Amino acid sequence: MSNFFAYLKTRQFRNTILLVVATVISIVLIAFFSLSSYTRHGQGIPVPKLKGLNVDKAMGLLTDQGFNYKIDSVYVPDIAPGTIVEQDPDAGTNVKESRTIYLTMVTQLAPNVSLPDLTTDQSIYREAVATLSNYGLKVGDTTYRSDIARDRVLEVRFGGQIIKPGTKIPKGSKLDLVLGNGEGASEVEIPELLNLDLDAAKFSIKGAGLTVGTITYEGSITDSTNVVVVSQSPMRSDSLSKASIGTRINLTVSQGKPSDVPTN
């Protein structure tokens, strides 16, 4: 035992201890700097500003700087198709080479939306504007014609043609509105509605500047989507061919004939 304690006091033991410590420190430093170099700790390439650029130019910049990219699309009205509107990471962020940059560009084609019903008895211009905005649509030109209700929406036109509720049109489109001028003294022709299906009759009534009144169903109705007008009031006749703007036209409808089913 005395020999062991004597060895601990020798220069050889101290040198051995120092060598072990130096070796451990060297291994730790080598591992630290190797890992730092491998991961490029604290280094990176700044992401260029891509928002507002055309997608082709943005892709060229990313390729030149060694980045990968993925592109998604979204429809944004009033911004040119192909324009970058979002990027991730943000411009100026330092990232490693070959990092994937995520871009969002404005799509080339606007999605279709269904035209809401703007020609109900209660629909006026201000409400129509708000409704169209909610659907991503815009109001174009407005014209007026005789009607007892001021600013009531009488017709909706797209590309010069009258369109019905539910018609598919590109989001962002401008629609022209025909509004009532509040002058109720004028008279219009009473349309002939007999044998028309109910939807066509309603459309004809509104198109004439009149109002759909009470609808009475006659007989057994098994298919509410296939009914035809069998009576109207007031009825067009030799002695009565016109009515005041906004007059209510009452309808009586019955079950239409079943559609022909082809047989083999």
Side-chain angles (χ1 to χ4, degrees), residues 124-147:
I124 61 174
Y125 174 74
R126 183 174 56 199
E127 295 170 348
V129 172
T131 300
L132 290 176
S133 179
N134 290 337
Y135 279 76
L137 300 170
K138 301 178 181 179
V139 175
D141 295 331
T142 56
T143 56
Y144 286 85
R145 77 178 187 200
S146 296
D147 187 85

Side-chain angles (χ1 to χ4, degrees), residues 226-246:
N226 181 24
V227 293
V228 296
V229 177
V230 295
S231 177
Q232 68 179 80
S233 178
M235 176 80 73
R236 182 183 177 89
S237 65
D238 292 338
S239 59
L240 180 64
S241 61
K242 292 186 177 182
S244 299
I245 292 287

Side-chain angles (χ1 to χ4, degrees), residues 76-215:
V76 181
D78 301 326
I79 297 182
T83 302
I84 301 298
V85 291
E86 293 292 342
Q87 68 177 86
D88 183 27
D90 293 331
T93 304
N94 284 340
V95 298
K96 299 174 188 176
E97 190 176 357
S98 299
R99 168 75 180 269
T100 298
I101 309 300
Y102 296 89
L103 305 176
T104 302
M105 75 169 190
V106 178
T107 185
Q108 301 285 341
L109 297 175
N112 286 333
V113 295
S114 297
L115 176 69
D117 190 357
L118 304 176
T119 55
T120 61
D121 293 345
Q122 294 78 25
S123 182
I124 61 174
Y125 174 74
R126 183 174 56 199
E127 295 170 348
V129 172
T131 300
L132 290 176
S133 179
N134 290 337
Y135 279 76
L137 300 170
K138 301 178 181 179
V139 175
D141 295 331
T142 56
T143 56
Y144 286 85
R145 77 178 187 200
S146 296
D147 187 85
I148 57 174
R150 175 71 181 181
D151 286 336
R152 183 173 70 175
V153 179
L154 305 178
E155 290 178 358
V156 181
R157 294 177 177 266
F158 179 59
Q161 302 295 321
I162 298 175
I163 57 175
K164 298 180 180 180
T167 302
K168 298 290 186 180
I169 51 179
K171 191 174 183 179
S173 297
K174 288 186 176 182
L175 303 176
D176 299 330
L177 303 180
V178 178
L179 308 174
N181 62 7
E183 299 175 3
S186 300
E187 293 186 330
V188 295
E189 297 286 338
I190 299 174
E192 177 60 63
L193 306 173
L194 296 183
N195 298 320
L196 292 181
D197 65 68
L198 182 57
D199 286 339
K202 289 180 178 180
F203 186 73
S204 182
I205 291 171
K206 293 177 181 179
L210 303 171
T211 302
V212 178
T214 302
I215 299 175

